[in-house]
Amino acid sequence: MLRILDARTGEPVPAAPARRGLTRIATDASGLDPTALRVMLTADLLVRALELGGTPVWTILTAPRDQPELRTAATRLAIRPFEDDRDLASGLGEAQVIRVARREERARWTGRDPVPGEPAGGAVPGPAPEERGEAPTAAGARGERAEGSATAPVARSAAGPTRDPVPGAREEGPLVAVAPVEWAGPQPSLPVLLADPAALRLALLRVPRHQPARLDGGALDRAAGQLADWRRAMAGWARRPSRPVPEPVRARLRAAWEDDLDLPGVLDVLRDVASTPDLTDGARFETYAYADRLLALDLARDLGSPA
């Protein structure tokens, strides 16, 4: 079962306790900037992970009506279309709600004003899992390895939401807070950033969403190089007989993305699969194709190209 960190409480909770119940993902992506795209990307990953687990999803976008450019940019980033929030009260009988917002918007959803001296977004540093006598999650343990980033504080609050519940929703669900995208130097325009949208998507997936994604041209170039390598490898593996995804590999992939959407962990599994000598090429291909249902990096794009 997918578990996510609820920014209201700082505790991991099931993303969708009613596994087969319709789940509404309410996404607040105001602003036309890379951080808004990262918020929408996080919602997209939630949709894909929940659907892979058999949970139906209804996704709503809260954004200014005069920003069609944001939706266009999201489409280029392989983010699935969102319903408009004007349909929010139509009442589809959803069983649960998940809210996704940039970290700075946390006070809006929790009803708690930032405390002087707190980090941006009202986050209150809490004790490390080890200090609470708990085992750190894979996502938290992997956070220190993200490129150019430090472990972000965990948002903690006992306050409940201030919004009235939406008709049809049984309860106000968890809040997923997304850290900002920070660009080293002058930030390029969105059209420039989206010149290679899959590279931008991969560069964002490499950083846990709790941590600022500090990007530059070098990060995008490295992501583009990794994509080229994986696509070339898949085109070669596709020429060999197909084999099922090995069950231990499938379990590792699911354990990673069900641990608070640990996408860096998913990418680590793919790197291991590419280099493990006792896997057949057919199994490698099917593993990458399976993971790409979540990653949406178009890894099979070069199938059929000349060797």
Side-chain angles (χ1 to χ4, degrees):
M1 175 183 290
L2 173 62
R3 297 180 66 83
I4 56 177
L5 188 71
D6 185 355
R8 291 191 177 98
T9 65
E11 300 297 332
V13 297
R19 182 180 175 189
R20 302 293 180 181
L22 177 63
T23 301
R24 172 163 51 85
I25 298 180
T27 308
D28 186 357
S30 58
L32 183 61
D33 57 31
T35 299
L37 284 177
R38 192 183 192 196
V39 171
M40 295 175 73
L41 173 60
T42 300
D44 180 67
L45 293 166
L46 275 169
V47 170
R48 294 171 185 273
L50 287 170
E51 288 182 343
L52 282 169
T55 299
V57 184
W58 175 36
T59 313
I60 294 293
L61 176 65
T62 299
R65 303 290 191 273
D66 59 350
Q67 287 194 359
E69 299 91 344
L70 181 60
R71 291 179 180 272
T72 300
T75 299
R76 294 208 57 201
L77 207 58
I79 294 171
R80 294 182 181 181
F82 290 72
E83 298 286 343
D84 196 278
D85 69 340
R86 73 184 68 185
D87 299 323
L88 191 62
S90 62
L92 294 184
E94 66 268 27
Q96 49 220 345
V97 179
I98 304 171
R99 296 196 180 277
V100 184
R102 63 177 73 202
R103 198 169 61 191
E104 298 89 286
E105 294 290 321
R106 175 175 169 269
R108 170 184 173 187
W109 296 112
T110 61
R112 175 179 177 275
D113 293 329
V115 176
E118 277 189 348
V124 179
E130 308 91 284
E131 297 170 345
R132 299 199 302 264
E134 303 169 6
T137 63
R142 208 178 313 279
E144 296 181 356
R145 300 208 301 269
E147 292 183 10
S149 59
T151 301
V154 175
R156 307 181 66 86
S157 172
T162 57
R163 285 193 161 192
D164 293 332
V166 175
R170 296 182 186 171
E171 61 180 25
E172 199 74 21
L175 170 64
V176 176
V178 181
V181 176
E182 300 173 357
W183 191 263
Q187 181 177 294
S189 64
L190 280 183
V192 172
L193 280 176
L194 290 166
D196 187 345
L200 176 59
R201 185 174 175 111
L202 177 56
L204 292 173
L205 295 181
R206 285 176 162 180
V207 184
R209 70 163 192 283
H210 315 95
Q211 301 178 6
R214 299 186 174 99
L215 302 183
D216 56 19
L220 295 183
D221 289 343
R222 288 190 292 275
Q226 180 70 85
L227 277 174
D229 290 344
W230 281 346
R231 287 167 173 169
R232 188 181 310 112
M234 279 200 75
W237 298 334
R239 298 184 178 93
R240 314 295 291 181
S242 179
R243 292 292 183 271
V245 179
E247 195 52 41
V249 174
R250 186 189 299 271
R252 282 187 63 195
L253 286 170
R254 295 194 70 94
W257 76 58
E258 290 181 353
D259 179 10
D260 198 31
L261 288 176
D262 179 15
L263 275 302
V266 172
L267 299 176
D268 281 350
V269 175
L270 294 189
R271 294 186 187 95
D272 290 346
V273 166
S275 59
T276 300
D278 58 349
L279 286 179
T280 66
D281 285 349
R284 298 184 215 272
F285 176 87
E286 294 298 341
T287 298
Y288 272 58
Y290 175 65
D292 207 33
R293 295 171 62 186
L294 174 72
L295 302 175
L297 294 171
D298 199 11
L299 296 179
R301 189 192 69 178
D302 294 343
L303 265 62
S305 61

